[in-house]
């Protein structure tokens, strides 16, 4: 498949500048309020993951799009950059379940996927109690406790975020990248990259790398996992150079996610290649996700048949006539003179294939466009969900 070689999509400058203000180094993330209050870094990351898992379970119960759930996870991660999870120094901490519910409430407003407060509270109570069928009445104390906490903490969350609500999860960027490289119809590649972004929400990657870098890393990890090679452009540049993304950053993100997969027990001998770490000091030119640029295909008929110039012209004319008929939905019988006047004694075969000198090799029908065309992500809805 020959990918489209138009300019790659550029990130929205309105989103890039605010996003850059929420990016930190690894050392800076080791000095969050929770860690400074005595919580270990591993425990803090674990609690963040529990909060995001709470968001996903509530989102599934409310049938929220994945983009809305990812937005809520980003809000939660950003909140704990400025507030602590535990009580310390006479200052109350904010439990990750309570702030996760508040993040869902705010994310539904940002992404315009609002749900009734009653539905949200009931879902939070059921997930917190680990009982998806629990009967929750509006007169229950548990119901009012969750509702009051969500409404009260919404102001705290907005203040911690400095009312910066301009963010965009990597899903849309990934969709643009797949279409740009002609892989929009590659369902396995698309779903693998989508799952990689889902798993990245459990980590603090959104606080270390931009949305563009995470989307490129998802494409890299999915291409490596699925064995898909993306062609270099006409200038011999790799696909990550075309997107203007640093390969070392891509590898760091992939290795960061690998720490999650390494802790998952593999059953029934399933493929574990996605768990493998990516060496960060490897040669860029030997990337497993690259494919060298190929030249434009020539006519299979004029390439393979030997004969004088007059026979070549006659064969080319008949080939063009077949192409026009195919575009109009018509069927033509091949004229006898195609084989009659050719020194190669070409004889017709079905489905536009030609055999020469008794050779039974089947050649593909001539493609006048020079490419088969890049697909589009028709299975991704406007709300950001992957349709089955």
């Amino acid at each position: 498949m020959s990918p489209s070689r138009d300019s790659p999509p550029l990130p929205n400058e309105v989103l890039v500048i605010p996003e850059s203000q929420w990016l930190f180094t690894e050392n800076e993330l080791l000095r969050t309020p929770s860690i400074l209050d005595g919580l270990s870094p591993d425990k803090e990351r674990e609690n963040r993951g529990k909060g995001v898992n709470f968001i996903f379970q509530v989102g599934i119960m409310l049938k929220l799009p994945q983009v809305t759930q990812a937005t809520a996870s980003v809000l939660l991660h950003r909140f704990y950059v400025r507030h602590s999870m535990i009580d310390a120094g006479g200052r109350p901490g904010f439990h990750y379940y309570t702030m996760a519910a508040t993040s869902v409430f705010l994310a539904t407003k940002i992404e315009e996927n609002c749900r009734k407060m009653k539905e949200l509270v009931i879902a939070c109570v059921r997930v917190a109690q680990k009982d998806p069928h629990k009967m929750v009445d509006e007169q229950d104390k548990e119901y009012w406790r969750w509702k009051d906490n969500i409404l009260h903490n919404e102001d705290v969350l907005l203040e911690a975020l400095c009312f910066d609500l301009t963010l965009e999860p990597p899903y849309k960027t990934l969709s643009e990248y797949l279409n740009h490289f002609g892989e929009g119809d590659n369902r396995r590649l698309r779903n693998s990259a989508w799952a990689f972004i889902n798993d990245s929400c459990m980590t603090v990657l959104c606080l270390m790398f931009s949305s563009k870098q995470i989307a490129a890393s998802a494409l890299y990890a999915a291409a490596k996992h699925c064995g898909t090679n993306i062609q270099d452009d006409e200038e011999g540049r790799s696909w990550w150079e075309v997107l203007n993304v640093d390969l070392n950053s891509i590898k760091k993100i992939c290795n960061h996610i690998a720490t999650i997969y390494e802790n998952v027990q593999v059953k029934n001998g399933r493929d574990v290649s996605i768990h493998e770490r990516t060496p960060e000091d490897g040669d860029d030119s030997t990337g497993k996700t690259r494919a060298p640029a190929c030249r434009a295909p020539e006519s299979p008929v004029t390439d393979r048949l030997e004969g004088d110039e007059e026979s070549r012209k006659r064969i080319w004319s008949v080939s063009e006539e077949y192409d026009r008929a195919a575009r109009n939905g018509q069927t033509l019988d091949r004229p006898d003179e195609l084989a009659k006047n050719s020194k190669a004694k070409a004889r017709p075969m079905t489905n536009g294939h030609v055999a020469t000198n008794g050779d039974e090799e089947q050649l593909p029908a001539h493609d006048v466009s020079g490419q088969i065309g890049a697909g589009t992500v028709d299975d991704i809805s406007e709300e950001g969900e992957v349709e089955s």
Side-chain angles (χ1 to χ4, degrees):
M1 179 178 293
S2 299
S4 172
R5 286 310 180 194
D6 297 333
S7 300
L10 298 176
N12 191 342
E13 294 183 0
V14 177
L15 301 174
V16 169
I17 297 177
E19 183 182 42
S20 63
Q21 299 175 353
W22 287 99
L23 298 182
F24 307 91
T25 64
E26 291 188 46
N27 291 332
E28 290 173 337
L29 291 177
L30 292 177
R31 299 194 300 270
T32 59
S34 299
I35 296 177
L36 295 178
D37 287 340
L39 199 64
S40 66
D42 291 339
K43 186 63 176 178
E44 195 241 11
R45 301 292 172 86
E46 180 183 349
N47 290 345
R48 286 176 180 266
K50 290 180 179 179
V52 175
N53 185 57
F54 184 91
I55 290 174
F56 286 171
Q57 293 188 47
V58 172
I60 292 173
M61 195 167 292
L62 295 176
K63 298 182 179 180
L64 293 175
Q66 190 66 45
V67 174
T68 304
Q69 300 176 41
T71 298
S73 68
V74 173
L75 299 180
L76 182 68
H77 285 303
R78 290 183 178 182
F79 175 80
Y80 284 119
V81 174
R82 304 192 65 184
H83 288 278
S84 177
M85 300 179 184
I86 60 178
D87 301 337
R91 183 186 65 246
F94 295 89
H95 196 273
Y96 42 88
Y97 280 177
T98 303
M99 295 313 304
T102 308
S103 298
V104 173
F105 181 58
L106 184 57
T108 57
K109 297 181 180 180
I110 296 175
E111 299 296 338
E112 298 182 354
N113 299 119
C114 296
R115 298 294 188 270
K116 294 180 179 179
M117 173 59 75
K118 178 181 178 180
E119 297 175 352
L120 173 62
V121 173
I122 292 176
C124 291
V125 172
R126 288 175 174 175
V127 173
Q129 298 292 333
K130 299 181 180 180
D131 184 0
H133 304 292
K134 180 180 177 62
M135 299 299 297
V136 182
D137 188 79
E138 292 187 48
Q139 305 302 323
D140 292 343
K141 293 182 178 180
E142 192 72 8
Y143 175 91
W144 283 102
R145 185 177 70 85
W146 276 93
K147 181 176 180 179
D148 292 341
N149 285 335
I150 291 174
L151 294 177
H152 174 266
N153 290 328
E154 182 185 16
D155 293 337
V156 180
L157 177 60
L158 287 170
E159 182 180 357
L161 298 173
C162 302
F163 293 85
D164 181 9
L165 305 178
T166 55
L167 56 89
E168 182 176 287
Y171 298 101
K172 180 180 178 182
T173 305
L174 172 64
S175 175
E176 293 174 345
Y177 288 169
L178 289 171
N179 287 332
H180 175 72
F181 293 113
E183 298 291 345
D185 289 334
N186 190 335
R187 181 181 293 272
R188 184 166 181 256
L189 176 68
R190 184 186 65 229
N191 290 349
S192 297
W194 195 276
F196 183 95
I197 296 179
N198 291 345
D199 295 336
S200 71
C201 295
M202 307 289 291
T203 69
V204 293
L205 286 177
C206 62
L207 300 177
M208 299 170 59
F209 300 95
S210 65
S211 176
K212 173 182 177 180
Q213 290 173 314
I214 296 176
S217 301
L219 179 58
Y220 180 90
K224 185 177 178 181
H225 178 61
C226 300
T228 301
N229 294 327
I230 301 176
Q231 285 188 2
D232 296 347
D233 66 355
E234 292 82 353
E235 300 176 2
R237 297 183 302 168
S238 60
W239 62 266
W240 54 81
E241 293 174 333
V242 173
L243 299 178
N244 194 25
V245 179
D246 180 41
L247 181 60
N248 289 331
S249 298
I250 291 177
K251 292 180 178 180
K252 287 180 180 178
I253 295 174
C254 293
N255 290 336
H256 199 91
I257 291 294
T259 59
I260 298 179
Y261 300 145
E262 288 172 349
N263 296 326
V264 177
Q265 184 178 3
V266 180
K267 298 180 180 180
N268 301 326
R270 291 181 297 177
D271 183 19
V272 295
S273 60
I274 196 172
H275 299 177
E276 297 176 355
R277 288 182 172 271
T278 303
E280 298 181 14
D281 56 352
D283 184 5
D284 295 359
S285 63
T286 60
K288 295 183 179 180
T289 63
R290 293 183 61 180
C294 59
R295 63 186 181 91
E298 300 179 1
S299 170
V301 178
T302 57
D303 248 6
R304 299 292 185 91
L305 294 182
E306 297 181 357
D308 54 22
E309 186 66 22
E310 183 178 354
S311 297
R312 284 179 176 271
K313 291 181 179 179
R314 185 178 297 108
I315 294 172
W316 178 260
S317 175
V318 174
S319 178
E320 287 186 332
E321 184 177 352
Y322 266 74
D323 290 334
R324 287 194 299 269
R327 288 195 298 270
N328 296 329
Q330 301 174 353
T331 303
L332 296 179
D333 294 330
R334 182 177 291 275
D336 293 336
E337 63 176 342
L338 179 63
K340 178 180 178 182
N341 296 320
S342 173
K343 292 182 179 180
K345 297 182 180 180
R347 62 186 178 83
M349 295 181 67
T350 59
N351 298 329
H353 299 306
V354 179
T356 60
N357 294 330
D359 187 5
E360 297 298 331
E361 178 186 4
Q362 292 188 356
L363 304 179
H366 174 55
D367 183 10
V368 295
S369 65
Q371 59 183 11
I372 304 179
T376 58
V377 187
D378 294 330
D379 295 326
I380 299 181
S381 65
E382 295 180 358
E383 294 184 345
E385 295 180 311
V386 177
E387 298 177 0
S388 58

